Amino acid sequence: ADEPAMLERLASLLDGVTTLVSYNGKSFDLALLQTRYTLNRMRFPVGDITHVDLLHPSRRLWFRSLESCSLSSIEREILGITRDSDVPGWMIPSIYAAYLRHRERASIEPVIRHNRYDILSLTVLLSRAARCLEPRAARSNPAEALGAALQYDSMGYAETALALYEEAARSAPAGDVLRRALWGALRLAKSSGASDRCLELAERLTTGDPGPQAWVEIAKYHEHKNKDFGPALAAAQAALDLAQTPGRMAPSSSERTRQEIAHRIARLQRKLSRH
C-alpha cells in the first residue's frame, strides 16, 4: 500500500539528478524500478539520467585477480573494507518479507544499514575505478592496465586502448594477462596500419601463446608487406604444425583453421615456384 508514496518520494529525490551510480543496476535494479512505476501508472523518472554501472568496469579491471566480482569481494580485496555485524545479502528478502507482516521497525534496521554500506562502498569504488581508468595513472599491476585497455577498447577509444594494452604487455609476466594484452595491441596496431609493430607483437606472442594464430600473422606480414615468400612459408608451416598438435586448439575451430593454413601454404608454394 505504501509503494506509490515510496515511488513518488524517489522521483522527487531524482529531480535534477544527472547521473546515477549502481552495481549491477542496469540488469536488475533499474528494470525492477521501471516495472513498479509502470504497474503504478507513474512516469519512470530515470529515463534521461546517465547511468554508470560499476559492475562492468570492475569486471574488466579485476576479474583476473578475484574469484568473484561481487560487491562484497571488491570491498574486501580491492578497497580494503571489512563490514562488521552486517546482515548477509541473501537474508534480506526474508527479513523484508517478515517486516511487511509484522511492521517491527527494529527488524528492518539491519537491512537499511546494509544498503547504506552499499552506497558508501560505491562512492569509494567509483573513485578507485576512475583512478585505474585514468590513461596516465600509475596502476598497481599489469592486470589493471589490461582492464583499463579493455574498457577503452569497448568504448571505441582505440588510441588510448592501444597505449594501455602495450603498458600491460611491458610489465606482465608470462600468462593470460600478457597474452590478452599482446593480442589486443596487435589487433589495434593492425587496424591502424602499423604493420612493423604488428610483426614485433606477433613474434612476442609465439613464445607465450600455444595456438597457431601468431605464426599466421607473421606469415601474413612477410607475404603481403615484405613480399618475402620464404619466411612467410616457414611461418605458415610452423602454424600448421601447432594446429595439428592435439590439445592446442578447440575441436570446433581446429579443422577449419588447418584448412585455412594449408590453403595459405599451397598459395605460398606456388608463389615461390614462380619466383
Side-chain angles (χ1 to χ4, degrees), residues 106-209:
S107 67
I108 203 69
E109 285 292 346
V111 175
I112 296 173
R113 186 168 59 249
H114 175 95
N115 291 336
R116 185 181 296 118
Y117 286 157
D118 281 354
I119 293 169
L120 293 172
S121 291
L122 287 188
T123 306
V124 182
L125 178 56
L126 178 64
S127 175
R128 179 77 164 84
R131 289 200 305 273
C132 288
L133 291 171
E134 168 60 41
R136 291 166 295 280
R139 274 162 285 274
S140 61
N141 59 63
E144 285 188 355
L146 173 60
L150 292 169
Q151 180 68 32
Y152 279 102
D153 202 350
S154 72
M155 298 164 63
Y157 294 98
E159 185 176 348
T160 301
L162 176 58
L164 288 165
Y165 279 130
E166 296 207 336
E167 177 190 331
R170 280 194 297 272
S171 56
D176 181 64
V177 170
L178 177 60
R179 181 182 61 80
R180 293 192 64 174
L182 288 171
W183 273 117
L186 175 59
R187 174 174 48 79
L188 293 180
K190 191 174 180 179
S191 65
S192 69
S195 54
D196 291 341
R197 182 60 181 144
C198 290
L199 178 63
E200 296 172 14
L201 293 164
E203 287 174 341
R204 282 193 68 186
L205 275 163
T206 60
T207 64
D209 191 323

Side-chain angles (χ1 to χ4, degrees), residues 17-66:
V17 169
T18 58
T19 307
L20 282 177
V21 179
S22 73
Y23 203 81
N24 198 32
K26 284 186 176 179
S27 300
F28 180 73
D29 303 87
L30 254 63
L32 180 62
L33 268 178
Q34 186 166 19
T35 299
R36 304 317 300 175
Y37 274 97
T38 300
L39 291 174
N40 284 276
R41 298 183 179 182
M42 299 170 67
R43 185 186 69 85
F44 185 49
V46 187
D48 298 328
I49 298 178
T50 299
H51 182 193
V52 180
D53 188 339
L54 288 175
L55 172 64
H56 307 292
S58 294
R59 281 177 172 167
R60 291 189 176 103
L61 286 166
W62 297 302
F63 82 91
R64 295 158 202 83
S65 309
L66 304 175

Side-chain angles (χ1 to χ4, degrees), residues 63-78:
F63 82 91
R64 295 158 202 83
S65 309
L66 304 175
E67 292 184 4
S68 164
C69 277
S70 66
L71 183 57
S72 59
S73 178
I74 293 285
E75 285 180 0
R76 185 173 58 254
E77 303 297 334
I78 302 300

Side-chain angles (χ1 to χ4, degrees), residues 79-94:
L79 305 179
I81 295 172
T82 302
R83 298 192 188 190
D84 295 325
S85 304
D86 185 36
V87 60
W90 60 268
M91 290 181 61
I92 288 177
S94 60

